[in-house]
Amino acid sequence: MLVGEAPGRQEDLTGQPFVGAAGKFLDELLASVGLSRSDVYITNVVKSRPVSGPPPGRNRAPTPAEIAACVPWLQEQLGILRPKVIVTLGRVALDYFLPGRRIADVHGRSIPQGPVTILPLYHPAMVLYRRDWVRMLRKDFRNLRRFLDE
Ligand code: URA
């Protein structure tokens, strides 16, 4: 199970997670380690688009209140799916599953949490236009592959 932050504009319009630019990059990262969308379940912590300004508006970070309001749905998804591995994409999802941990310290590592293993990754949208970070994210995906293979 991969958990991102919140829908962007494309996601809000289609009702599907990660279908915009970040989603295309995510598909490519998954494919680079032999995974496709049909192998994983993808969702977000926040279930509707945090937006500011007049339509179409700009994406913004979700507030703590918005996160708290959406947590029951995420918990329901977790209860139904019972994933063994949860990949957090970005800070918001990391904060939910491993509060207080810094992404710079834990990215790419598998962290056991009871019956679940959390594998924190940087958010694809954040690294998209930074070549060094893209390299790091690709490496973290290879760690994910290695972890799944083991
Ligand atoms: N960013 C996210 O965190 N989630 C999406 O679904 C799209 C972009």
Side-chain angles (χ1 to χ4, degrees):
M1 182 167 174
L2 281 75
V3 184
E5 179 172 313
R9 182 147 186 268
Q10 288 309 315
E11 289 77 17
D12 224 27
L13 289 170
T14 58
Q16 300 294 321
F18 283 95
V19 289
K24 293 210 173 64
F25 184 37
L26 180 60
D27 284 343
E28 189 208 311
L29 289 162
L30 287 168
S32 74
V33 295
L35 293 170
S36 72
R37 287 211 179 206
S38 57
D39 298 315
V40 297
Y41 183 84
I42 307 180
T43 191
N44 287 300
V45 175
V46 170
K47 306 304 187 191
S48 60
R49 180 188 181 211
V51 63
S52 57
R58 278 175 293 108
N59 296 344
R60 60 167 172 77
T63 65
E66 288 165 342
I67 293 169
C70 291
V71 156
W73 278 278
L74 180 59
Q75 280 176 342
E76 203 168 325
Q77 288 172 299
L78 290 165
I80 292 167
L81 291 160
R82 298 191 179 285
K84 293 196 185 109
V85 182
I86 297 174
V87 173
T88 60
L89 300 170
R91 192 185 47 79
V92 169
L94 174 63
D95 248 23
Y96 176 73
F97 289 100
L98 297 171
R101 305 295 280 274
R102 293 180 45 221
I103 192 146
D105 298 334
V106 293
H107 73 93
R109 284 172 40 195
S110 50
I111 301 171
Q113 287 284 293
V116 178
T117 297
I118 312 288
L119 206 142
L121 299 181
Y122 279 97
H123 196 292
M126 199 177 126
V127 312
L128 200 47
Y129 302 108
R130 302 179 213 193
R131 198 177 298 173
D132 289 356
W133 291 39
V134 166
R135 207 172 298 135
M136 183 176 61
L137 190 54
R138 288 191 188 286
K139 187 163 165 242
D140 287 351
F141 264 83
R142 289 197 293 275
N143 285 349
L144 168 65
R145 176 77 261 176
R146 213 166 296 132
F147 174 75
L148 294 175
D149 289 342
E150 282 165 12

